[in-house]
């Protein structure tokens, strides 16, 4: 239905008494094709145009521009569109049934954030703690239509963190550059209106509809005597409390990554929230697993029009039916029913309402073992199919301790580097985040410094080398020397700017990576490089990272469905009965 043209003159707000005195619109009778009287509808059936009066001078009445109301299917005419977001009806004047609510002007856009601001009242005022800016330098532009307020102590703390080569220092410098670009002409603007904020869309971030405000004067702070006045956190709490007193009709919210600061704010009766925009998922259980079980009647419901063919010893099925919309490319599907042979497949193509499924190579069979390693369960078979697939450039494996992530990845890497010569060498890296107290500086070269962090690599190489007893002691020593020559241990601190060509890159303990670090590592891949990310989301050691905000979760969610990537969540541990029981009960 086309909307009526907007008025050429700015409208004014109605008072509650004037709005109640307006005549209600008269419903038109439904026309029937058999009734001839419906063709000549009386001209008085249309509701009169609402008269808009100024709230400041009730005696002065202005006539609104004549706008032809557009009739809807129900016969009710729509109200004229109000052009400005501040010129909507006051809350007290809105009817209880929701009628009379204004629509967004098409010329101003119809984004959901704008509608929420118009309907839900004034925008919130978010006061940002320093750790939010250091955690996500783009957090200034993540609050949609709401406004952002920066206390002066926050800018002082940013200045104290800007020196150094750490990620925190880089984030502090990026925030300072963004603030400098926003406040470039702030002095000339404040001479006109000292209370005017800075539009966050000024630097091209169109998703940020709110404004940025700085603390430019002192505030009367009344905090409990037990809180030290000189501490930065307590000064920010005082600013939040003062802002709430200055803006009683507006929600003033403190945003902080510090749990203790949020607890103190709530104890003082202030609204405090965590920074949620960095979370990919609210619950780790909602993470994409890469595996989808099929119902028992799958073939019965999808048999109509199904095509099947064989190519290179692999059977393909082209199916269409109700399950196709739930499929993703490179997602594993299986069908297990009592008394029947289980069927395992993978989605290779989705075109419209049809999908192509293909059978898998059975790596559980010992004759298909990879460097002496055979799959012990269903998920391990799926993982080995991804690791050995040359068309899959990015693989993520998650699972609890002892599920075989590192062992299978290293076996697939050695098989493709030494046997198939598909890649030139293996590069292994990980985040150096200690579980307990740091033991201090480590002597030696880059690889010697990384060796204590690569104990898992040494353990798995020992397992892989133990399987060959035919060559004797000297043969095993020569094999170990050859394997070691093809494995390079690199530190993440020196990855910036590098490009890996035809390498098999293994990122261990990837759950401790931030999304920014994950992007830095993945973009190092050159032609012919395969990247494998391994991690256990239940063992995150990096501060301020959770299952929902981890870089591994971010990568799994963003890469799902891409034809050259795959993911498998390993469910069952195969390390030992002791390790399996400990992972369940501890």
């Amino acid at each position: 239905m086309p909307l009526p043209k907007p008025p050429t003159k700015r409208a004014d707000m109605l008072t509650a008494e004037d709005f109640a005195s307006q005549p209600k619109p008269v419903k038109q009778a439904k026309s029937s094709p058999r009734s001839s009287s419906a063709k000549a509808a009386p001209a008085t059936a249309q509701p009169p145009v609402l008269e808009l009066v100024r709230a400041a001078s009730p005696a002065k009445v202005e006539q609104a521009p004549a706008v032809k109301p557009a009739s809807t299917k129900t016969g009710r005419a729509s109200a004229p569109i109000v052009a400005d977001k501040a010129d909507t009806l006051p809350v007290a004047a809105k009817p209880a049934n929701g009628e009379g609510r204004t629509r967004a002007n098409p010329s101003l856009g119809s984004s959901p954030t704008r509608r929420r601001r118009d309907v839900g009242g004034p925008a919130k005022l978010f006061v940002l703690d320093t750790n939010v800016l250091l955690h996500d330098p783009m957090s200034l532009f993540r609050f949609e239509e709401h406004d952002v307020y920066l206390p002066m102590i926050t800018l002082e703390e940013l200045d104290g963190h800007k020196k150094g080569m750490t990620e925190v220092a880089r984030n502090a410098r990026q925030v300072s550059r963004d603030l400098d670009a926003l406040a470039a002409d702030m002095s000339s603007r404040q001479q006109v209106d000292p209370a005017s904020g800075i539009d966050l869309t000024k630097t091209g971030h169109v998703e940020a509809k709110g404004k940025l405000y700085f603390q430019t004067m002192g505030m009367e702070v009344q905090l409990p005597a037990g809180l030290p006045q000189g501490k930065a956190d307590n000064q920010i709490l005082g600013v939040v409390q003062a802002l709430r007193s200055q803006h009683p009709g507006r929600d003033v919210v403190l945003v902080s990554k510090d749990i203790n600061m949020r607890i103190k704010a709530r104890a003082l009766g202030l609204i405090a929230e965590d920074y949620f925009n960095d979370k990919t998922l609210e619950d780790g259980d909602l993470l994409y697993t890469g595996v989808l079980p099929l119902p028992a009647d799958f073939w019965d419901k999808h048999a109509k029009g199904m095509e099947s063919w064989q190519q290179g010893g692999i059977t393909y099925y082209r199916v269409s039916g109700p399950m196709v919309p739930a499929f993703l490319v490179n997602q594993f599907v299986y069908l297990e029913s009592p008394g029947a042979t289980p069927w395992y497949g993978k989605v290779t193509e989705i075109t419209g309402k049809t999908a192509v499924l293909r059978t898998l190579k059975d790596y559980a069979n010992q004759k298909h073992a990879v460097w002496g390693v055979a799959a012990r369960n269903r998920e391990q078979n799926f993982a080995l199919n991804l690791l050995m697939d040359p068309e899959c450039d990015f693989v993520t494996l998650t699972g609890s301790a002892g599920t075989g992530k590192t062992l299978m990845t290293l076996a697939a890497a050695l098989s493709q580097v030494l046997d198939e010569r598909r890649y030139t060498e293996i590069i292994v890296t990980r985040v150096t985040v200690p579980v307990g107290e740091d033991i201090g500086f480590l002597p030696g070269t880059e690889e010697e410094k990384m060796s204590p962090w690569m104990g898992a690599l040494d353990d798995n190489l020992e397992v892989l080398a133990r399987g060959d007893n035919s060559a004797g002691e000297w043969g095993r020593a020569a094999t170990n020397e050859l394997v070691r020559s093809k494995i390079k241990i690199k530190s993440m601190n020196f990855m910036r700017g590098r490009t890996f060509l035809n390498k098999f890159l293994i990122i261990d303990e990837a759950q401790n990576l931030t999304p920014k670090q994950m992007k830095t590592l993945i973009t190092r891949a050159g032609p012919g490089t395969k990247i494998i990310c391994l991690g256990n989301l239940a063992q995150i050691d990096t501060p301020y990272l959770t299952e929902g905000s981890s870089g591994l979760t971010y990568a799994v969610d963003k890469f799902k469905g891409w034809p050259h990537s795959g993911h498998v969540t390993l469910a069952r541990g195969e390390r030992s009965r002791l390790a399996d029981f400990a992972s369940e009960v501890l």
Side-chain angles (χ1 to χ4, degrees):
M1 179 186 69
L3 295 175
K5 295 182 180 179
T8 57
K9 190 175 181 181
R10 178 167 174 165
D12 292 316
M13 293 187 296
L14 284 174
T15 62
E17 295 79 8
D18 295 330
F19 182 85
S21 63
Q22 295 293 332
K24 295 184 178 180
V26 180
K27 294 185 178 180
Q28 296 180 357
K30 294 184 178 180
S31 60
S32 174
R34 299 181 180 180
S35 175
S36 60
S37 61
K39 296 182 181 179
T44 58
Q46 293 184 352
V49 178
L50 296 180
E51 295 181 354
L52 304 178
V53 298
R54 295 183 182 275
S57 56
K60 186 177 180 180
V61 179
E62 290 184 3
Q63 182 68 29
V67 178
K68 183 179 179 180
S71 59
T72 61
K73 294 181 179 179
T74 58
R76 181 179 300 169
S78 59
I81 296 177
V82 180
D84 192 83
K85 63 182 179 182
D87 295 330
T88 55
L89 294 177
V91 177
K94 291 183 180 179
N97 57 1
E99 295 181 1
R101 181 175 296 172
T102 58
R103 298 181 182 178
N105 195 331
S107 63
L108 300 177
S110 57
S111 61
T113 56
R114 186 175 182 84
R115 287 198 298 268
R116 284 202 299 271
R117 183 172 184 173
D118 292 344
V119 177
K124 295 180 180 179
L125 184 62
F126 287 101
V127 182
L128 301 190
D129 193 4
T130 313
N131 49 42
V132 176
L133 299 172
L134 297 178
H135 178 74
D136 182 7
M138 300 299 295
S139 58
L140 286 170
F141 312 101
R142 307 293 194 197
F143 292 92
E144 296 181 343
E145 78 272 22
H146 303 290
D147 298 332
V148 176
Y149 189 94
L150 292 184
M152 195 55 64
I153 189 62
T154 298
L155 301 179
E156 290 290 335
E157 287 190 306
L158 277 178
D159 187 66
H161 287 90
K162 68 181 181 181
K163 296 179 180 179
M165 298 302 295
T166 62
E167 185 181 1
V168 171
R170 285 193 290 269
N171 291 345
R173 291 193 291 269
Q174 182 177 344
V175 173
S176 299
R177 287 191 290 268
D178 291 338
L179 292 176
D180 180 63
L182 287 169
D185 58 344
M186 185 176 177
S187 57
S188 60
R189 185 189 299 109
Q190 283 192 336
Q191 291 177 1
V192 180
D193 185 6
S196 64
I198 304 173
D199 290 330
L200 291 171
T201 56
K202 178 182 175 182
T203 54
H205 298 84
V206 295
E207 70 278 0
K209 306 292 184 183
K211 290 188 176 184
L212 173 65
Y213 296 91
F214 291 101
Q215 180 187 358
T216 57
M217 60 185 67
M219 297 182 176
E220 295 184 3
V221 178
Q222 296 179 356
L223 293 176
L227 292 177
Q229 301 296 325
K231 192 175 180 181
D233 289 356
N234 298 334
Q235 293 184 36
I236 296 176
L237 291 175
V239 170
V240 176
Q241 193 176 56
L243 287 174
R244 193 180 67 167
S245 302
Q246 295 176 7
H247 305 278
R250 193 175 186 185
D251 288 340
V252 180
V253 183
L254 171 65
V255 182
S256 175
K257 300 291 294 182
D258 189 351
I259 298 177
N260 292 329
M261 188 171 181
R262 297 200 301 266
I263 293 175
K264 288 194 292 185
R266 289 162 184 163
L268 295 173
L270 305 175
I271 305 175
E273 293 180 0
D274 191 6
Y275 179 65
F276 296 109
N277 196 272
D278 62 331
K279 291 181 172 57
T280 306
L281 298 173
E282 292 295 333
D283 190 357
D285 295 335
L286 302 176
L287 184 64
Y288 171 66
T289 62
V291 180
L292 180 66
L294 299 177
D297 57 348
F298 173 78
W299 296 113
D300 298 333
K301 290 186 176 181
H302 297 75
K304 184 178 180 181
M306 184 182 67
E307 304 175 16
S308 65
W309 66 94
Q310 286 190 347
Q311 182 179 350
I314 300 175
T315 306
Y316 292 84
Y317 304 89
R318 188 184 302 276
V319 298
S320 60
M323 284 285 292
V324 172
F327 290 156
L328 291 173
V329 178
N330 279 346
Q331 185 180 32
F332 292 95
V333 293
Y334 67 92
L335 179 58
E336 293 179 347
S337 56
T341 304
W343 183 85
Y344 305 109
K346 185 176 73 170
V347 182
T348 60
E349 179 185 343
I350 298 177
T351 306
K353 297 182 179 180
T354 63
V356 177
L357 311 179
R358 54 160 287 185
T359 56
L360 302 178
K361 189 174 182 179
D362 185 16
Y363 286 101
N365 194 332
Q366 194 62 37
K367 68 178 182 178
H368 295 153
V370 178
W371 202 262
V373 175
R376 292 189 178 183
N377 55 54
R378 179 181 60 228
E379 285 76 18
Q380 285 189 356
N381 187 27
F382 295 161
L384 284 173
N385 273 275
L386 284 178
L387 294 171
M388 298 299 293
D389 187 0
E391 295 297 324
C392 201
D393 300 332
F394 183 72
V395 179
T396 51
L397 300 179
T398 59
S400 58
T403 51
K405 303 183 295 293
T406 308
L407 180 64
M408 289 189 301
T409 303
L410 197 55
L414 293 172
S415 175
Q416 295 176 84
V417 169
L418 296 177
D419 294 345
E420 301 178 14
R421 304 296 180 92
R422 187 176 297 159
Y423 308 100
T424 56
E425 64 180 0
I426 305 168
I427 297 178
V428 185
T429 185
R430 60 163 291 177
V431 187
T432 53
V433 179
V435 177
E437 292 291 333
D438 200 346
I439 62 175
F441 292 100
L442 298 173
T445 62
E446 178 186 358
E447 290 204 8
E448 290 173 346
K449 290 177 183 292
M450 290 295 296
S451 294
W453 299 97
M454 292 299 171
L457 176 66
D458 297 332
D459 297 339
N460 287 281
L461 285 178
E462 183 181 351
V463 173
L464 294 174
R466 189 181 299 173
D468 188 12
N469 296 321
S470 59
E473 190 71 23
W474 288 99
R476 286 197 298 272
T479 302
N480 291 337
E481 190 68 25
L482 177 63
V483 167
R484 292 284 182 178
S485 66
K486 291 293 184 180
I487 299 178
K488 297 293 187 295
I489 302 173
K490 300 296 181 182
S491 173
M492 283 186 50
N493 300 334
F494 310 107
M495 289 292 185
R496 182 80 70 179
R498 296 198 60 181
T499 301
F500 299 118
L501 303 176
N502 296 322
K503 301 292 193 286
F504 195 99
L505 178 59
I506 303 174
I507 305 174
D508 201 9
E509 303 295 334
Q511 76 275 2
N512 289 319
L513 289 170
T514 64
K516 188 175 180 180
Q517 291 173 331
M518 180 67 76
K519 178 182 178 180
T520 301
L521 287 178
I522 297 176
T523 52
R524 301 304 99 208
T529 294
K530 190 184 187 80
I531 297 182
I532 315 296
C533 291
L534 313 175
N536 180 11
L537 292 171
Q539 296 179 349
I540 296 178
D541 302 317
T542 304
Y544 300 125
L545 273 190
T546 60
E547 291 186 20
S549 60
S550 170
L552 182 58
T553 305
Y554 181 77
V556 171
D557 186 70
K558 296 299 181 181
F559 275 91
K560 65 181 180 182
W562 188 50
H564 301 287
S565 70
H567 169 73
V568 173
T569 300
L570 301 171
R572 196 173 74 186
E574 300 290 349
R575 178 171 291 168
S576 66
R577 58 189 178 188
L578 173 60
D580 296 343
F581 184 73
S583 63
E584 293 177 2
V585 300
L586 296 182

